[in-house]
C-alpha cells in the first residue's frame, strides 16, 4: 500500500475508524501519500502512526481535528499544512516526525495538544546537512498550547504569536512544562497582547 486517497463523495460526512480507530493505517511500511477529503470529520487517533515512508499528507478543508498520535513517528513526513477548518491538534499528533521541516498552522486553530510536535525538526535541512532556522507563527485563534507541544524542535529559531481574536491564551496547560524546552536554536519569542 503506497497511497491512500479518500474521494469526495455523495455523503456530507465521512467517519473512518469507527469508535476504535487504533492503527487504522498505522505501521504501513510502504505508505507514502495520503489525501484526506473535506467530508472527513477528523483524523482518528493513531490513524497513520509509525508509517515510516509517509512523506506527503494533504488535508482538504473540512476536518476539524487531528487525533492523538495520528501521525506519530512518521519520520519521512516533511511538511504539514492545516486547512482553515482545523480546530485542534491532539496530544503527540506529530511527535517524532523528525523530517517535519515546516508546519503551517491555520487561523481557526484553537488547541495544540501535549507534545503535539515534540521532536519535529521544524527547519529546512540544507544539502550541507545543516538545518536552516524556522519561524513558526501561532495563529491568533489559538487559546491553548499544552506542555511539551514544541519540545526538542531542533530547527525552531523563532516563534511569533499573532495578536488574537481570543481574550486569553494558556501556554503549557496546568504544568507549563517545556513547551519549547530543548529547542537549541530558539532565539526569539514574540508574545501576543492578550
Amino acid at each position: 500500500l503506497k497511497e491512500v486517497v479518500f474521494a469526495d463523495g455523495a455523503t456530507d460526512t465521512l467517519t473512518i475508524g469507527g469508535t476504535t480507530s487504533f492503527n487504522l493505517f498505522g505501521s504501513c511500511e510502504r505508505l507514502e501519500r495520503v489525501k484526506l477529503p473535506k467530508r472527513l470529520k477528523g483524523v482518528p487517533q493513531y490513524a497513520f502512526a509509525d508509517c515510516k515512508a509517509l512523506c506527503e499528507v494533504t488535508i482538504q478543508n473540512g476536518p476539524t481535528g487531528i487525533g492523538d498520535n495520528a501521525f506519530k513517528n512518521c519520520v519521512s513526513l516533511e511538511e504539514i499544512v492545516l486547512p482553515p477548518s482545523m480546530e485542534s491538534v491532539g496530544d503527540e499528533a506529530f511527535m517524532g516526525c523528525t523530517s517535519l521541516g515546516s508546519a503551517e498552522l491555520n487561523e481557526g486553530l484553537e488547541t495544540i495538544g501535549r507534545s503535539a510536535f515534540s521532536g519535529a525538526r521544524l527547519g529546512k535541512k540544507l544539502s550541507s546537512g545543516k538545518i536552516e532556522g524556522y519561524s513558526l507563527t501561532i495563529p491568533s485563534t489559538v487559546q491553548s498550547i499544552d506542555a511539551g507541544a514544541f519540545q526538542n524542535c531542533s530547527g525552531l529559531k523563532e516563534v511569533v504569536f499573532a495578536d488574537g481574536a481570543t481574550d486569553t491564551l494558556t501556554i503549557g496547560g496546568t504544568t507549563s512544562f517545556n513547551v519549547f524546552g530543548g529547542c537549541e536554536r530558539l532565539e526569539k519569542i514574540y508574545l501576543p497582547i492578550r
Side-chain angles (χ1 to χ4, degrees), residues 102-188:
S102 69
E104 189 176 316
L105 308 180
N106 61 297
E107 281 296 320
L109 185 64
E110 297 175 2
T111 61
I112 301 171
R114 179 183 44 78
S115 301
F117 292 91
S118 180
R121 184 176 66 226
L122 293 186
K124 182 179 177 185
K125 191 169 188 175
L126 305 173
S127 59
S128 65
K130 292 185 178 183
I131 297 173
E132 183 177 75
Y134 184 74
S135 178
L136 175 71
T137 299
I138 306 292
S140 67
T141 52
V142 170
Q143 299 171 23
S144 166
I145 302 174
D146 213 338
F150 296 96
Q151 185 175 11
N152 297 322
C153 292
S154 60
L156 188 58
K157 185 175 182 179
E158 175 180 272
V159 179
V160 177
F161 285 86
D163 284 334
T166 62
D167 291 336
T168 60
L169 169 64
T170 303
I171 301 174
T174 57
T175 62
S176 70
F177 182 71
N178 279 340
V179 173
F180 298 103
C183 296
E184 52 200 35
R185 286 186 175 80
L186 186 59
E187 295 176 358
K188 298 177 184 176

